[in-house]
Amino acid sequence: MDMKEAEKATARLLDIMETLRRECPWDREQTFDTLRNNTIEETYELADAITDKNMDGIKEELGDLLLHVAFYSKLGDEAGAFDYTDVANGVCDKLIYRHPHVYGDIHADTPEVVKQNWEALKLRKKRRKSGTLGGVPVSLPAMVKAFRVGEKAASVGFDWGRKEDVWDKVREELMEVDAEVRSGNKEHLTDEMGDLFFALINACRLYGIDPEGALERTNKKFIRRFGYVEQQAEASGRMLGDMTLEEMDAYWDEAKRLEHE
């Protein structure tokens, strides 16, 4: 990367932000609150591009998020609270503090040790105010939050001794779900379904699997195969609602075979 070009591009972005905030009616009306949902949407669009391995899309969505950083920084500057320089220096200071194996005399030879040190340093600053789990954002989607909660608990030693032991917990929760299905108590079943999800997400964590990414792969696989079933039904002049489950399953199995050819 050419650092001079990066500096020029950053200065250009901040200059454009100044102009838009001053001259564009829409940009003038924006606040932290009005931008919040847009930022969340842009983050998900970046996640989609990453999942699709779309490099052009990743570049575009990163630009959109960078615009939001510049916008929030401008709003902070107008409020007399902080500006873009404060934001950039803040994250630089944080990175240096949390990488003592690079900028200090701590040794960390593996990614696992680096991550343990990172979490420990975060806790050192936050534990007094919010506890080990207090730093997990309330607004995170439940699956991502469950993964982070498990990570943070594990960072202080609250975890299975062997990763294989997590399957005992999964089986235990599955049995409890089965019991509540038979009891007919929907509130208790909801609780046990949540416990089962939580156990499975912890299993993903222990085996190095991103649960969100794994589920999205399955979503896409289901959509693709179901689309094939619809296409074949249409090609035969029929509607899905007029077909038997066995007939639809036959097309489904055909879609699976075609994927593996």
Side-chain angles (χ1 to χ4, degrees), residues 112-222:
E112 290 74 20
V113 174
V114 171
K115 191 167 187 178
Q116 289 169 5
N117 289 343
W118 178 281
E119 292 293 344
L121 288 167
K122 286 175 66 175
L123 286 173
R124 188 178 298 171
K125 282 200 167 185
K126 295 183 178 180
R127 183 181 287 135
R128 284 176 294 179
K129 295 190 296 183
S130 57
T132 301
L133 303 181
V136 179
V138 175
S139 298
L140 277 180
M143 183 178 291
V144 180
K145 185 187 293 185
F147 193 88
R148 289 296 290 138
V149 164
E151 280 189 322
K152 285 184 173 290
S155 73
V156 294
F158 193 77
D159 204 2
W160 285 269
R162 301 181 313 135
K163 65 181 181 181
E164 294 83 1
D165 295 338
V166 71
W167 299 114
D168 291 333
K169 186 63 175 175
V170 171
R171 283 187 284 268
E172 174 190 328
E173 297 299 348
L174 187 57
M175 290 174 61
E176 292 176 1
V177 166
D178 183 59
E180 295 304 336
V181 167
R182 287 183 277 107
S183 78
N185 187 316
K186 188 173 182 179
E187 184 174 352
H188 290 174
L189 178 59
T190 299
D191 288 340
E192 296 305 335
M193 282 288 195
D195 291 346
L196 177 59
F197 280 132
F198 192 78
L200 285 169
I201 289 167
N202 271 291
C204 287
R205 173 179 60 81
L206 289 165
Y207 281 85
I209 302 297
D210 169 26
E212 183 75 22
L215 183 57
E216 182 57 17
R217 286 177 63 170
T218 294
N219 288 339
K220 290 186 173 183
K221 181 167 56 180
F222 184 93

Side-chain angles (χ1 to χ4, degrees), residues 10 57 110 207:
T10 301
T110 67
Y207 281 85

